[in-house]
């Protein structure tokens, strides 16, 4: 499979538009109740245009993406060994995030990839890496 | 030398919380392998405690970077012993005011004695290592 070549593009993965209800759910699930994600007034007083999504929600999308890639590679018993994310731009309710990856290093048992999270305006909102093991 | 800001705590998450996490992420994959990997974010409790100690309001806090190294699968309802250390901090003048950068490191183990054991990581006895870079914005201007 060409996915096993360094520099190959991995399949992309699109998430539905982020909603405010989703941010409230994510705050409960993650126990990150920073009001800039939940309260419009607080967000604006803090100099933000509106509430913003948790950066970790974008990283959670990347986590799901890495499972998607494990499945794509047929590494059903595989696991995520490492992942990192650098948050580049704010994500807002209404944004549809697409996650895409590129193979960085690969062996029969390990795949390291670079991951981009891109919003509907094709702006990169986060970049990251993932290391997957086949078992 | 003992780090200046260190917070140890016991923490856990439930099966219901993991299910809520899947829902909050709009998890689309049909197979749910254990728990979502970034549920490890619940162990940021130590960071929030230290931010509170430093009197840094959450509304000024932005997340800069996050890294996880997974050694073992996290499981619901298990009690984890965790230690968060403020590893580094510095300030920089940004275009819209002063920015403060903080780097936290959190180690998640099952046994408390492993927290201080540097070999625990090498022997895969820790579950997850988390590194968080935080940016604190100056909103006074």
């Amino acid at each position: 499979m060409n996915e096993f070549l360094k520099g190959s593009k991995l399949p992309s993965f699109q998430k539905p538009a982020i909603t405010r209800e989703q941010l409230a759910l994510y705050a409960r699930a993650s126990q990150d109740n920073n009001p800039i994600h939940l309260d419009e007034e607080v967000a604006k007083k803090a100099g933000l245009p509106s509430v913003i999504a948790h950066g970790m929600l974008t990283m959670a999308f990347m986590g799901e993406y890495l499972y998607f890639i494990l499945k794509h590679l047929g590494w059903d018993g595989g696991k995520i060994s490492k992942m990192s994310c650098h948050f580049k731009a704010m994500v807002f309710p209404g944004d549809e995030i697409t996650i895409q990856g590129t193979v960085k290093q690969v062996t029969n048992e390990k795949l390291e990839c670079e991951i981009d999270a891109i919003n509907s305006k094709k702006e990169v909102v986060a970049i990251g890496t993932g290391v997957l093991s086949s078992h | 030398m003992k780090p200046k800001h260190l917070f140890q705590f016991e923490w856990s998450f439930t099966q219901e919380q993991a299910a809520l996490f899947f829902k909050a992420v709009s998890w689309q994959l049909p197979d749910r392998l254990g728990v979502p990997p970034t549920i490890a974010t619940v162990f940021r409790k130590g960071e929030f405690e230290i931010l509170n100690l430093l009197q840094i309001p959450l509304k000024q806090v932005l997340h800069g970077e996050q890294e996880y190294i997974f050694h073992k699968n996290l499981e619901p309802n298990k009690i984890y012993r965790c230690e968060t250390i403020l590893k580094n901090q510095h300030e920089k003048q940004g275009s819209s005011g002063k920015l403060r950068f903080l780097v936290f490191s959190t180690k998640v183990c099952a046994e408390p004695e492993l927290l201080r054991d540097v070999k625990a990581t090498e022997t895969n006895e820790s579950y997850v290592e988390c590194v968080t870079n935080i940016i604190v914005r100056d909103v006074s201007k």
Side-chain angles (χ1 to χ4, degrees), chain B residues 44-138:
Chain B
R44 291 185 67 202
K45 174 184 168 62
E47 296 169 29
F48 294 134
E49 294 285 350
I50 294 173
L51 287 171
N52 189 41
L53 192 74
L54 295 173
Q55 298 183 310
I56 295 173
L58 282 182
K59 65 178 183 180
Q60 288 178 236
V61 168
L62 292 177
H63 205 153
E65 290 181 41
Q66 185 67 49
E67 179 178 292
Y68 293 119
I69 301 170
F70 300 102
H71 298 294
K72 288 182 179 179
N73 292 333
L74 292 169
E75 301 163 36
N77 304 320
K78 189 180 180 79
I79 305 289
Y80 295 98
R81 275 80 180 186
C82 312
E83 181 178 272
T84 300
I85 297 171
L86 174 57
K87 280 177 69 178
N88 188 16
Q89 60 173 319
H90 68 275
E91 288 182 355
K92 206 161 79 176
Q93 191 64 37
S95 55
S96 57
K98 192 176 67 181
L99 297 173
R100 188 172 170 189
F101 295 84
L102 308 179
V103 182
F104 294 98
S105 171
T106 299
K107 190 169 171 182
V108 178
C109 292
E111 302 300 331
E113 61 269 21
L114 295 176
L115 286 174
R116 307 306 301 157
D117 181 2
V118 290
K119 290 180 182 168
T121 301
E122 295 165 17
T123 55
N124 285 354
E125 285 167 335
S126 72
Y127 278 71
V128 186
E129 294 169 77
C130 321
V131 178
T132 306
N133 290 40
I134 290 293
I135 304 161
V136 184
R137 299 157 61 239
D138 179 5

Side-chain angles (χ1 to χ4, degrees), chain A residues 15 34 46 64 71 83 85, chain B residues 26 28 31 58 66 137:
Chain A
K15 296 299 294 180
N34 190 332
E64 184 184 9
K71 190 89 182 160
M83 62 182 298
C85 183
Chain B
S26 306
Q28 293 162 288
D31 297 334
L58 282 182
Q66 185 67 49
R137 299 157 61 239

Side-chain angles (χ1 to χ4, degrees), chain A residues 14-15 22 25-26 29 31-32 34 46 56 60-61 64 67-68 71 80-87, chain B residues 11 17 20 24-29 31 33 37-38 44 58-59 63-68 70 137 139:
Chain A
Q14 185 168 359
K15 296 299 294 180
Q22 184 175 13
L25 264 185
Y26 185 79
Q31 297 166 349
D32 180 348
N34 190 332
M56 287 305 298
F61 296 161
E64 184 184 9
Y67 274 134
F68 168 66
K71 190 89 182 160
I80 302 170
S81 306
K82 186 175 175 179
M83 62 182 298
S84 68
C85 183
H86 178 183
F87 305 104
Chain B
W11 207 238
Q17 196 179 346
L20 186 65
V25 173
S26 306
W27 193 272
Q28 293 162 288
L29 297 180
D31 297 334
L33 306 168
T38 61
R44 291 185 67 202
L58 282 182
K59 65 178 183 180
H63 205 153
E65 290 181 41
Q66 185 67 49
E67 179 178 292
Y68 293 119
F70 300 102
R137 299 157 61 239
V139 295

